[in-house]
């Protein structure tokens, strides 16, 4: 292979093929090429002996890519066709990518069920098989219309050797795996953050309204309190309730969250207590020259 591709992600590649026809020749060579390129694949030979064949459907569900290897005797096997129906179902759900491979059959043979490929399908005459014919044909039509890898053209001629053909299949699989990788990685990272409570997929309108930013010196961070009970420190001192969420109770800011100037103000202006009075008259802090400075020395009494 001329091009070098980074080691692929270990998503499983399921190989669907007619075993009696291809296992000891074409598939054995394909398997060797997949192994050389460190591709995680699965064939029925890897299933444990004594296991139910329906477990192969689970292997399809575990896979991200399926190779459907169409050959002249492919449609002899009802089991191959059942696997193809499952592959189509997963592809329709967007959970599986399919690469059709046309080995010694033309794309037209498969699409239009012609020649030996089509005649072998007609041999399924049992009542049980007849009930499946419709789904089998639908799956064959759907998968064969996907862009795939034909070994011979519609005239029956091949422009490459079998080894070159297998190399091109492997290259296509590697590229498909790389395309799958970013989406899977992003989803995996997001799920981990959600499990740790770091990411929320839903933001309520009230929580959006609760986010407030106070104006001040850009060099120092604004005092913000994020949550269901939120208020702005400065807005609260002005008696401004627009920055509070509906039905929420204001939270008293911690002194460590206040600047030095705000600590002086919070010491003098304590809204948690009743405003001090003298003989029934309220005490006013500050004179016209020092209003807003919080200078205790300018305290005057109003009589």
């Amino acid at each position: 292979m001329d091009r070098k591709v980074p080691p692929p992600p270990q998503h499983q590649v399921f190989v669907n093929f007619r075993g009696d026809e291809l296992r000891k020749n074409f598939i054995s060579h394909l398997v060797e090429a997949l192994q050389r390129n460190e591709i995680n694949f699965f064939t029925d030979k890897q299933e444990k002996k004594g296991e139910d064949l329906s477990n192969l459907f689970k292997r399809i569900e575990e896979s991200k890519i399926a190779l459907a290897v169409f050959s002249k005797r492919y449609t002899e096997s009802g089991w191959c066709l059942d696997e193809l129906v499952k592959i189509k179902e997963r592809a329709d759900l967007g959970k599986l990518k399919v690469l059709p491979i046309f080995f010694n059959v033309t794309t037209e043979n498969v699409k239009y069920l012609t020649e030996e490929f089509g005649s072998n399908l007609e041999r399924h005459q049992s009542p049980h098989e007849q009930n499946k014919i419709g789904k089998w044909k639908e799956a064959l039509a759907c998968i064969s219309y996907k862009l795939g890898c034909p070994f011979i053209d519609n005239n029956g001629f091949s422009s490459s050797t079998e080894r070159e053909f297998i190399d091109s299949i492997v290259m296509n699989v590697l590229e498909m795996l790389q395309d799958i990788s970013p989406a899977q990685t992003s989803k995996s990272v997001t799920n981990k953050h959600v499990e740790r409570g770091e990411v929320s997929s839903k933001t309520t309108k009230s929580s959006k309204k609760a986010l407030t930013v106070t104006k001040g010196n850009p060099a120092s961070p604004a005092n913000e309190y994020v949550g269901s009970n939120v208020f702005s420190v400065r807005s609260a001192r002005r008696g401004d309730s627009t920055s509070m969420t509906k039905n929420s109770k204001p939270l008293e800011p911690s002194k460590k969250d206040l600047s030095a100037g705000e600590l002086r103000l919070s010491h003098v202006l304590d809204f948690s207590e009743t405003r001090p009075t003298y003989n029934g008259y309220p005490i006013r802090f500050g004179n016209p020259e020092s209003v807003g400075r919080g200078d205790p020395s300018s305290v005057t009494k109003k009589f």
Side-chain angles (χ1 to χ4, degrees):
M1 297 170 65
D2 295 330
R3 286 187 293 168
K4 288 186 177 181
V5 178
Q10 292 306 300
H11 302 304
Q12 184 165 278
V13 178
F14 186 89
V15 187
N16 164 251
F17 63 99
R18 181 71 173 109
D20 289 350
E21 181 185 11
L22 301 179
R23 190 184 306 279
K24 294 182 179 180
N25 44 73
F26 177 74
I27 292 299
S28 66
H29 301 153
L30 176 61
V31 164
E32 288 175 2
L34 294 173
Q35 290 174 332
R36 283 197 307 271
N37 287 272
E38 301 178 0
I39 294 174
N40 179 27
F41 67 92
F42 183 88
T43 67
D44 57 2
K45 188 177 180 179
Q46 294 165 260
E47 191 62 71
K48 294 179 180 179
K49 302 298 181 184
E51 293 290 340
D52 195 321
L53 283 175
S54 61
N55 282 349
L56 295 177
F57 292 149
K58 295 180 182 179
R59 303 294 174 252
I60 294 172
E61 292 177 354
E62 295 167 356
S63 303
K64 295 297 181 184
I65 295 175
L67 306 182
V69 185
F70 297 124
S71 57
K72 291 179 179 180
R73 294 175 55 194
Y74 180 92
T75 49
E76 284 181 351
S77 171
W79 189 255
C80 281
L81 293 164
D82 285 342
E83 286 181 355
L84 192 69
V85 170
K86 181 67 174 179
I87 288 170
K88 176 187 175 297
E89 291 174 356
R90 299 293 292 177
D92 288 346
L93 293 172
K95 297 182 177 181
L96 185 69
K97 290 184 177 293
V98 187
L99 179 65
I101 298 168
F102 304 88
F103 183 70
N104 287 337
V105 290
T106 68
T107 56
E108 290 186 352
N109 292 155
V110 181
K111 291 177 181 177
Y112 305 114
L113 301 176
T114 59
E115 299 185 11
E116 188 177 349
F117 188 89
S119 60
N120 284 331
L121 183 64
E122 301 303 323
R123 294 180 181 178
H124 297 279
Q125 296 296 327
S126 71
H128 177 66
E129 291 174 324
Q130 285 295 307
N131 291 334
K132 294 182 177 182
I133 286 287
K135 285 189 175 181
W136 288 348
K137 288 183 176 180
E138 184 180 353
L140 286 166
C142 176
I143 302 303
S144 64
Y145 270 89
K146 294 181 181 294
L147 190 61
C149 299
F151 182 53
I152 59 176
D153 59 25
N154 289 326
N155 295 318
F157 297 103
S158 175
S159 59
S160 63
T161 64
E162 185 176 310
R163 180 175 179 176
E164 291 171 339
F165 180 57
I166 288 175
D167 285 347
S168 69
I169 293 171
V170 171
M171 183 57 64
N172 276 280
V173 172
L174 288 170
E175 290 174 351
M176 292 170 73
L177 286 169
Q178 293 299 329
D179 288 342
I180 292 173
S181 180
Q184 293 295 324
T185 302
S186 176
K187 183 177 179 181
S188 175
V189 170
T190 301
N191 288 339
K192 287 180 181 179
H193 285 310
V194 170
E195 289 173 3
R196 295 199 298 262
E198 297 176 6
V199 176
S200 175
S201 60
K202 294 181 180 179
T203 305
T204 59
K205 293 182 179 179
S206 60
S207 65
K208 289 180 180 178
K209 291 180 180 179
L211 296 175
T212 59
V213 179
T214 58
K215 297 179 180 179
N217 185 357
S220 61
N223 291 305
E224 292 179 307
Y225 296 84
V226 181
S228 57
N229 294 320
V230 180
F231 75 108
S232 169
V233 177
R234 293 180 176 84
S235 296
R237 286 202 293 272
R238 293 196 306 267
D240 182 6
S241 61
T242 59
S243 62
M244 298 171 58
T245 59
K246 188 178 181 182
N247 299 325
S248 64
K249 295 180 181 180
L251 298 175
E252 197 65 25
S254 171
K255 289 185 177 182
K256 65 181 181 181
D257 295 320
L258 300 177
S259 64
E262 289 170 335
L263 281 172
R264 289 197 298 273
L265 282 173
S266 65
H267 176 72
V268 176
L269 300 176
D270 187 357
F271 287 97
S272 62
E273 299 179 359
T274 307
R275 187 171 182 176
T277 61
Y278 181 82
N279 288 340
Y281 293 95
I283 294 177
R284 183 179 64 189
F285 294 92
N287 55 37
E289 288 77 24
S290 60
V291 173
R293 299 177 187 172
D295 183 4
S297 64
S298 62
V299 173
T300 59
K301 297 179 183 179
K302 182 178 180 181
F303 298 97

